[in-house]
């Protein structure tokens, strides 16, 4: 629409959108703005367009936004290649005009714990070796750039170098599928390089006067080489683009001030990767997918390397096994740790791991580390399907003595906290073969809530109205807006890492809303809770999570709240922000759990005392 307006009704504007629902929404927006005659919409990928078929002639101008946090992940390079080859005139005009990627070497214990389980296990004395000596490549994170709001780590990051330019992509010419650069980066202080933090700077116009940057807040200017102005003149928190973190394997690289780190950067059609070494070393420190037999998300690696978490689980399982002879233990989720821990603690037990997500990859991993953890594979079996399949063979007519879960389901880490109540559903399916004195871990889930001020997150999810003088109000229902909604309309609960959501402030104490008792079969639950505000401020919503009671007798539980940064929370944003005062104002929260769908419905209201 901006292109059509800029052309003043002259020429043609063709738009392509391969995702049909979004293409239909685009047509509705065009009609709402009286521009459906000015723009032709094709429900196709751009590489499916043909000159002489969909397009009357080659195009003079290309306007695109095919950028993700890493830059290349949405297919920027192959899309531009095909456009230059088949759709554009010679020497076309492009918006954006150019993009440059930058990086910086950093030290951070927090980032280190998200990538180096091997060295973190050294300080843990629970007898479990998830990454045994000699098998350092058995378990790790995917070697890729991981999108993250690095501003939230400002107090936990030491900068070990100045920012450096990595790659530059000129949109106005055909890009190469592969690129490589080697540079010598001087260390500015002594330290250990745990990661490369990267971002990009977009030059939208030919002259270079209009820039957009995804740089972290500690970068003073939008262009790492010279100060420039940005599009809006200010920096707002946003969630559509973040910085990226490339983790350095095997605990990082030690450097001294003024020592040079040799950095080798590669890119292919869809990703950027790095290898590092210090001057004087003979080989680069490569980091490739084939290095690891099994790859988990960084947050899961950090959890498995957390001493307090492991000791709490160890204590609960050891207590449950006490006095039981040859127990049957079922790990009902994808927990590698519980499988290995239980098999190690009780040599006479039979451990059955369901592994519904990890499947054969998880089974192969456990087989590989069995000797290092002192147990025989004769006492371990794998289902690699949903737990309900255990009913079919009834495990040789035996009853389950221990039913265990973290709960953790591989591939579902980004979902809402209560989606892990799938464990309750699995437990219910196994009800006929649970022993009378069965030990279930976790035994309960407790839904927690806290009222919070979340101005950045609320602003980023508010409903759209006019953008560049174009009416976008029609898109809100489809795109799931949460703020500035019509009266009585409520937005959905969404999963977020609260610690990465910009400005955040607790306005109330933490309340328990309802309990889910896993010793009983799954059932519908509905509870209400009065939330009294303990601080003045503007309430933008409620943050919800589940605390897992792993051993009620010993008061042991695992919290997945905002303080525990390795889990996402559920966020219920308000239609309108509410200014509240301590003691005088309160809210009522109503939560309902539907066991058939596994969904939790949350409603809120505000009242005066």
């Amino acid at each position: 629409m901006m292109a059509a307006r800029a052309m003043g009704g002259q020429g043609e504007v063709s738009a392509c959108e391969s995702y049909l629902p979004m293409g239909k929404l685009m047509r509705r927006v065009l009609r709402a703005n009286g521009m459906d005659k000015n723009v032709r919409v094709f429900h196709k990928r751009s590489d499916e367009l043909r000159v002489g078929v969909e397009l009357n002639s080659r195009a003079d101008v290309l306007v695109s936004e095919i950028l993700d946090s890493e830059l290349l992940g949405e297919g920027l390079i192959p899309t531009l290649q095909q456009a230059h080859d088949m759709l554009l005139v010679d020497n076309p005009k492009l918006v954006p005009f150019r993009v440059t990627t930058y990086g910086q070497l950093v030290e951070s214990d927090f980032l280190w714990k998200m990538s180096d389980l091997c060295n973190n296990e050294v300080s843990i004395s629970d007898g479990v070796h998830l990454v045994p000596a000699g098998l350092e490549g058995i378990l790790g994170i995917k070697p890729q750039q991981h999108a993250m709001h690095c501003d939230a780590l400002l107090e936990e990051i030491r900068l070990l170098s100045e920012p450096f330019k990595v790659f530059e992509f000129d949109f106005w010419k055909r890009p190469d599928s592969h690129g490589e650069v080697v540079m010598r980066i001087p260390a500015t202080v002594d330290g250990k390089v745990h990661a490369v933090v990267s971002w990009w700077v977009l030059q939208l116009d030919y002259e270079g006067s209009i820039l957009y940057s995804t740089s972290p807040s500690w970068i003073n200017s939008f262009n790492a080489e010279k100060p420039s102005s940005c599009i809006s003149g200010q920096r707002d928190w946003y969630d559509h683009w973040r910085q990226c973190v490339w983790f350095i394997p095997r605990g990082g690289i030690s450097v001294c001030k003024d020592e040079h780190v040799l950095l080798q950067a590669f890119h292919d059609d869809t990703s950027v990767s790095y290898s590092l070494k210090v001057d004087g070393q003979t080989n680069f420190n490569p980091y490739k997918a084939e290095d690891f037999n099994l790859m988990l998300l960084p947050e899961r690696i950090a959890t498995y390397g957390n001493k307090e978490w492991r000791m709490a689980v160890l204590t609960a399982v050891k207590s449950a096994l006490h006095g039981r002879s040859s127990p049957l233990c079922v790990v009902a989720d994808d927990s590698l740790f519980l499988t290995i821990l239980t098999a190690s603690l009780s040599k006479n037990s039979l451990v059955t791991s369901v592994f519904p997500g990890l499947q054969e990859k998880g089974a192969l991993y456990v087989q590989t580390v069995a000797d290092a953890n002192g147990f025989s594979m004769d006492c371990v079996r794998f289902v690699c399907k949903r737990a309900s399949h255990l009913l079919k063979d009834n495990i040789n007519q035996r009853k389950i003595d221990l039913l265990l879960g973290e709960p953790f389901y591989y591939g579902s880490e980004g979902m809402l906290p209560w989606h892990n109540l799938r464990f309750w559903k699995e437990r219910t399916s196994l009800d006929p073969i649970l022993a009378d004195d069965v030990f279930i871990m976790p035994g309960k889930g407790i839904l927690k809530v806290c009222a919070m001020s979340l101005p950045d997150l609320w602003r980023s999810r508010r409903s759209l109205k006019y953008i560049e003088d174009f009416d976008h109000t029609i898109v809100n229902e489809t795109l799931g807006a949460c703020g500035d909604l019509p009266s009585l309309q409520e937005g959905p609960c969404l999963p977020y890492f609260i610690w990465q959501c910009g400005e955040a402030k607790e306005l109330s104490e933490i309340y328990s809303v309802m309990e889910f008792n896993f010793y009983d079969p799954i059932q519908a639950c509905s509870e209400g809770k009065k939330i009294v505000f303990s601080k003045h401020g503007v309430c933008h919503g409620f943050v919800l999570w589940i605390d897992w009671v792993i051993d009620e007798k010993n008061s042991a539980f695992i919290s997945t709240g905002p303080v525990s940064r390795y889990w996402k929370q559920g966020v219920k944003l308000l239609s309108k922000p509410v200014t509240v005062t301590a003691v005088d104002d309160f809210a009522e929260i109503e939560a309902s759990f539907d066991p058939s769908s596994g969904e939790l419905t949350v409603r809120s209201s505000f009242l005066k005392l």
Side-chain angles (χ1 to χ4, degrees):
M1 288 193 294
M2 286 190 288
R5 182 173 62 188
M7 293 169 64
Q10 302 298 313
E12 297 179 354
V13 176
S14 298
C16 58
E17 171 56 63
S18 62
Y19 183 51
L20 185 58
M22 190 62 73
K24 290 181 177 179
L25 182 60
M26 180 190 297
R27 290 185 184 276
R28 293 173 61 193
V29 174
L30 287 168
R31 285 196 296 271
N33 288 275
M35 300 194 72
D36 47 323
K37 300 292 191 297
N38 303 78
V39 179
R40 295 193 302 162
V41 179
F42 297 101
H43 298 313
K44 297 182 177 182
R45 291 163 50 101
S46 62
D47 58 11
E48 295 174 319
L49 300 181
R50 297 291 181 267
V51 174
V53 182
E54 293 86 3
L55 304 182
N56 293 325
S57 64
R58 285 181 174 253
D60 302 287
V61 181
L62 173 64
V63 181
S64 66
E65 186 280 282
I66 325 168
L67 313 173
D68 65 355
S69 293
E70 185 185 15
L71 181 69
L72 303 181
E74 292 186 7
L76 171 67
I77 288 178
T79 301
L80 288 180
Q81 287 177 338
Q82 194 274 340
H84 278 282
D85 291 344
M86 306 300 296
L87 305 177
L88 299 175
V89 299
D90 294 336
N91 301 314
K93 296 183 183 296
L94 277 87
V95 179
F97 182 78
R98 174 182 291 128
V99 65
T100 306
T101 65
Y102 293 91
Q104 196 164 19
L105 308 181
V106 304
E107 177 183 85
S108 168
D109 281 351
F110 179 81
L111 295 178
W112 166 57
K113 290 174 182 177
M114 297 180 81
S115 61
D116 186 15
L117 180 56
C118 179
N119 286 306
N120 269 298
E121 278 198 316
V122 172
S123 62
I124 303 175
S125 57
D126 56 15
V128 176
H129 305 286
L130 295 176
V131 185
L135 293 172
E136 288 79 6
I138 191 70
L139 185 64
I141 61 172
K142 188 174 182 179
Q144 67 177 37
Q145 296 201 90
H146 295 265
M148 190 178 300
H149 287 286
C150 292
D151 284 350
L153 296 173
L154 192 59
E155 302 300 321
E156 301 173 71
I157 279 181
R158 290 182 67 233
L159 305 178
L160 302 185
S161 76
E162 295 293 335
F164 48 85
K165 182 189 293 186
V166 184
F167 289 114
E168 186 170 271
F169 299 93
D170 290 318
F171 286 41
W172 53 271
K173 64 181 181 181
R174 191 183 193 279
D176 294 326
S177 291
H178 299 276
E180 177 181 342
V181 62
V182 178
M183 60 190 78
R184 299 175 77 244
I185 312 298
T188 52
V189 293
D190 296 348
K192 179 165 271 192
V193 182
H194 290 133
V196 177
V197 172
S198 66
W199 62 93
W200 44 259
V201 176
L202 200 64
Q203 177 183 330
L204 282 99
D205 62 333
Y206 171 81
E207 295 79 12
S209 61
I210 306 174
L211 304 175
Y212 185 93
S213 174
T214 64
S215 64
S217 61
W218 63 76
I219 303 299
N220 294 326
S221 62
F222 284 90
N223 187 313
E225 297 178 326
K226 61 181 181 179
S228 298
S229 61
C230 65
I231 296 172
S232 62
Q234 62 181 5
R235 299 294 302 276
D236 291 325
W237 183 89
Y238 48 80
D239 198 49
H240 49 282
W241 289 314
R242 290 166 265 177
Q243 295 79 47
C244 282
V245 175
W246 176 272
F247 295 96
I248 307 303
R250 292 179 281 280
I253 298 176
S254 296
V255 295
C256 298
K257 183 180 179 181
D258 297 327
E259 189 175 27
H260 282 82
V261 175
L262 267 68
L263 181 142
Q264 192 174 25
F266 307 86
H267 81 76
D268 56 20
D269 276 346
T270 57
S271 64
V272 176
S273 59
Y274 302 93
S275 293
L276 280 75
K277 70 176 182 178
V278 177
D279 262 356
Q281 291 182 350
T282 55
N283 296 311
F284 278 97
N285 196 13
Y287 190 14
K288 301 176 181 177
E290 54 266 29
D291 289 348
F292 299 110
N293 293 41
L294 183 62
M295 289 179 287
L296 302 177
L297 290 182
E299 290 80 14
R300 178 58 34 186
I301 292 294
T303 299
Y304 281 161
N306 184 281
K307 182 177 181 180
E308 290 73 22
W309 181 88
R310 286 172 60 140
M311 293 306 295
V313 173
L314 168 67
T315 302
V317 175
K318 188 179 289 186
S319 174
L321 287 169
H322 181 71
R324 296 181 188 262
S325 176
S326 303
L328 172 59
C329 309
V330 171
V331 178
D333 61 359
D334 284 302
S335 178
L336 300 170
F337 182 77
L338 286 175
T339 300
I340 296 168
L341 173 68
T342 309
S344 300
L345 287 176
S346 179
K347 304 299 190 293
N348 297 321
S349 63
L350 173 62
V351 180
T352 298
S353 289
V354 176
F355 286 169
L358 288 171
Q359 299 189 355
E360 288 78 9
K361 293 184 294 184
L364 179 61
Y365 165 82
V366 174
Q367 292 166 9
T368 306
V369 302
D371 287 344
N373 286 280
F375 64 87
S376 168
M377 285 305 299
D378 293 338
C379 68
V380 181
R381 65 188 290 259
F382 306 101
V383 176
C384 299
K385 297 177 181 178
R386 297 185 72 91
S388 57
H389 282 78
L390 292 172
L391 282 174
K392 295 181 179 179
D393 60 23
N394 204 16
I395 320 179
N396 299 320
Q397 306 301 313
R398 292 190 60 181
K399 295 283 189 176
I400 298 173
D401 300 294
L402 277 74
L403 181 65
L404 308 175
E406 296 185 21
F408 157 60
Y409 294 96
Y410 180 75
S412 302
E413 297 93 329
M415 301 176 75
L416 289 159
W418 42 89
H419 288 158
N420 279 331
L421 290 172
R422 170 180 171 180
F423 176 79
W424 199 8
K425 194 169 187 176
E426 304 282 22
R427 168 259 178 267
T428 302
S429 71
L430 298 174
D431 195 60
I433 54 174
L434 296 180
D436 292 339
D437 62 344
V438 64
F439 173 79
I440 298 177
M441 186 188 84
K444 287 182 180 179
I446 304 175
L447 180 67
K448 300 281 189 172
V449 66
C450 181
M452 295 192 71
S453 176
L454 300 162
D456 293 323
L457 180 59
W458 187 88
R459 193 181 304 117
S460 76
R461 296 295 311 193
R462 70 189 303 177
S463 62
L464 301 179
K465 295 180 180 176
Y466 281 82
I467 302 173
E468 299 298 325
D469 296 325
F470 294 117
D471 184 1
H472 278 68
T473 54
I474 202 169
V475 309
N476 292 309
E477 184 177 346
T478 303
L479 297 184
C482 298
D484 274 353
L485 298 178
S487 171
L488 302 179
Q489 184 175 330
E490 296 207 22
C493 283
L494 301 169
Y496 282 101
F497 290 111
I498 290 298
W499 70 274
Q500 294 191 49
C501 285
E503 183 182 343
K505 176 186 175 183
E506 295 183 0
L507 298 178
S508 73
E509 302 297 325
I510 296 172
Y511 290 86
S512 298
V513 180
M514 70 169 70
E515 291 189 359
F516 313 100
N517 188 350
F518 303 144
Y519 279 89
D520 295 328
I522 194 169
Q523 57 189 292
C525 308
S526 184
E527 294 284 347
K529 180 65 65 172
K530 177 180 176 181
I531 310 294
V532 178
F533 291 95
S534 56
K535 295 178 182 176
H536 304 308
V538 177
C539 182
H540 294 94
F542 297 90
V543 176
L544 301 105
W545 65 93
I546 293 182
D547 285 354
W548 305 102
V549 180
I550 61 173
D551 189 351
E552 190 167 24
K553 182 174 66 175
N554 295 308
S555 300
F557 69 94
I558 301 295
S559 178
T560 63
V563 175
S564 305
R565 296 185 290 180
Y566 303 137
W567 288 272
K568 284 189 174 182
Q569 293 77 46
V571 182
K572 177 73 173 183
L573 293 173
L574 302 177
S575 298
K576 305 288 183 184
V578 177
T579 300
V580 298
T581 57
V583 182
D584 292 334
D585 294 317
F586 72 94
E588 288 186 345
I589 288 286
E590 293 183 4
S592 300
F593 174 68
D594 181 356
S596 61
S597 65
E599 293 298 333
L600 190 79
T601 302
V602 180
R603 297 188 179 278
S604 62
S605 59
F606 287 79
L607 298 165
K608 288 279 187 184
L609 288 174

